[in-house]
Amino acid sequence: MKLSDRMKESTQQHIQNIYSKDRSLQGASFKELMKITEQPVDWAYQTWDDLLDLLKNGDNRQRSIAAQLLCNLAKSDPDGRMEKDLSNLFEVTKDERFVTARHSLLALWRVGIVNPSLTQKTVDGLSGRFKECIDEKNCTLIRYDICRVLRNIFDHTGEEQIFRKTMSLIEKETDDKYRKKYLSVWKDVIKKKAP
């Protein structure tokens, strides 16, 4: 991995540590990189392709780290690469390791708040995921997490269509117990909208 001078040496080291077999070192660097990328950075494209590669070829922890970092880097993407790469992030939400899939899914709100186009693509992707996970082992937890991600996007964007889309998804749940659980994520919003 070749990194330019724009990136601080300490940040370069944290990125190298993602590849480490030392779990504590890897974890500490991941946390630091998530902090650094809370704000836009000018070095996103120096790591972008390597992170995309890790989504497919890394171990389960590296796949999770790469997905979460790419979601955080979406705000540092002036060229709009996330428009075409978002599908790669959605693939990781189906990872064979459920913890990896779940961490990846829960990070998607960070992409969904970047701009209106990504909001729409993320909401559409989450809607599709909500419907297609019906036969998966952890379907109800996936659906609950999707409701949480949609709520995060709604809280940041205020887009009414996200609320309406989520309610229409929840209506598709046939089990009352789970429908109530999904609605609980939106309870305060529903209460405000009640006549």
Side-chain angles (χ1 to χ4, degrees):
M1 184 186 325
K2 187 180 172 197
L3 303 169
S4 86
D5 296 335
R6 280 188 295 185
M7 190 185 295
K8 287 183 184 172
E9 198 173 309
S10 60
T11 304
Q12 290 183 31
Q13 188 57 58
H14 288 307
I15 288 170
Q16 294 300 329
N17 291 345
I18 291 171
Y19 295 86
S20 174
K21 297 295 178 203
D22 179 337
R23 296 285 174 111
S24 62
L25 181 65
Q26 184 187 55
S29 285
F30 166 63
K31 281 183 186 167
E32 194 57 36
L33 287 166
M34 288 299 283
K35 270 191 233 167
I36 292 165
T37 56
E38 279 299 316
Q39 301 301 318
V41 296
D42 64 359
W43 47 259
Y45 299 137
Q46 296 172 249
T47 61
W48 196 279
D49 290 333
D50 292 319
L51 291 172
L52 283 174
D53 182 63
L54 268 185
L55 287 180
K56 293 182 177 129
N57 300 313
D59 63 28
N60 62 301
R61 282 175 58 98
Q62 290 168 337
R63 292 192 303 273
S64 174
I65 287 169
Q68 292 173 78
L69 279 174
L70 279 166
C71 286
N72 239 19
L73 287 171
K75 69 178 82 62
S76 303
D77 177 25
D79 297 347
R81 289 184 63 180
M82 188 56 78
E83 296 281 339
K84 68 174 182 54
D85 291 333
L86 183 57
S87 59
N88 293 307
L89 290 173
F90 270 101
E91 278 306 306
V92 188
T93 71
K94 304 170 195 170
D95 197 272
E96 62 195 37
R97 298 291 288 270
F98 185 64
V99 172
T100 300
R102 190 170 193 211
H103 286 158
S104 303
L105 175 63
L106 288 170
L108 283 170
W109 70 269
R110 295 172 185 278
V111 177
I113 65 171
V114 171
N115 63 49
S117 174
L118 282 174
T119 299
Q120 189 61 55
K121 286 184 179 203
T122 305
V123 170
D124 289 348
L126 290 166
S127 299
R129 190 80 185 91
F130 190 96
K131 294 168 192 165
E132 76 185 14
C133 75
I134 189 69
D135 296 323
E136 293 179 40
K137 181 181 170 188
N138 296 298
C139 173
T140 55
L141 185 51
I142 293 166
R143 286 182 163 185
Y144 179 74
D145 286 346
I146 288 169
C147 290
R148 287 174 55 202
V149 174
L150 288 166
R151 174 62 197 266
N152 277 339
I153 297 170
F154 174 80
D155 286 346
H156 282 82
T157 65
E159 290 287 332
E160 184 65 24
Q161 60 102 1
I162 296 170
F163 172 75
R164 289 193 305 272
K165 173 66 93 174
T166 307
M167 293 305 109
S168 73
L169 290 171
I170 292 172
E171 283 173 19
K172 293 179 183 351
E173 177 56 63
T174 55
D175 188 315
D176 280 344
K177 176 178 136 187
Y178 294 118
R179 193 178 312 119
K180 283 179 187 167
K181 183 178 178 178
Y182 307 152
L183 286 169
S184 71
V185 176
W186 290 82
K187 189 165 58 174
D188 58 323
V189 178
I190 294 166
K191 198 173 182 180
K192 277 184 201 166
K193 291 179 182 297

